[in-house]
Amino acid sequence: MLRTRVAASIAAHAVEPELHRVFLEQMPRIKAPRSAASEGFMLEEAKQLLPAWGCTAPDVELAWWMMQTAAHAVVHQAIVERPDDLRSGALAEELVRLLDRYLRGEQAPGPRAGAGREDT
């Protein structure tokens, strides 16, 4: 599900990427209205899919919003700052990994916060 969602977002932004970049850099932020019907349908689907998929978030609606917002921001910023990673697929893989870990509540490998610190 995540891979498909990320691929669709990247594909939508791949049309005229240079024009998209100019819009992002030069135009003020305009909040476009979202379709209430579409949003409601997607949210209802998310409420069914995310828990079945292993989402550990206590608020599925908030988790869905966080996922959409984070993915959207990453793709938009990549158009300007990392177009090669966007084209190569590297960004898509990292975005899927980021969203997967967030939704499943998994920690990245490595030292825990505060590990190795001596208390005095």
Side-chain angles (χ1 to χ4, degrees):
M1 175 187 86
L2 284 176
R3 198 168 305 286
T4 300
R5 187 102 168 112
V6 166
S9 178
I10 290 172
H13 290 87
V15 177
E16 299 289 343
E18 188 60 25
L19 181 60
H20 199 86
R21 184 189 62 74
V22 170
F23 284 153
L24 286 171
E25 291 178 340
Q26 303 299 323
M27 293 185 71
R29 301 274 299 164
I30 299 171
K31 184 171 173 121
R34 294 183 178 184
S35 162
S38 172
E39 288 294 313
F41 172 77
M42 294 296 285
L43 180 57
E44 289 308 312
E45 288 292 309
K47 286 179 179 179
Q48 300 286 323
L49 290 173
L50 292 181
W53 181 64
C55 177
T56 60
D59 184 340
V60 175
E61 184 174 342
L62 178 59
W64 178 251
W65 180 87
M66 292 285 292
M67 183 187 87
Q68 288 183 299
T69 302
H72 186 79
V74 167
V75 171
H76 273 251
Q77 204 62 30
I79 290 167
V80 176
E81 296 179 5
R82 302 193 70 97
D84 292 340
D85 290 332
L86 197 58
R87 282 189 292 275
S88 75
L91 186 124
E93 288 302 312
E94 286 301 307
L95 184 54
V96 168
R97 185 186 341 237
L98 172 87
L99 296 173
D100 183 52
R101 284 189 174 153
Y102 166 69
L103 291 172
R104 293 180 190 251
E106 294 176 13
Q107 297 291 320
R112 292 183 332 263
R117 207 175 50 182
E118 293 183 34
D119 291 330
T120 56

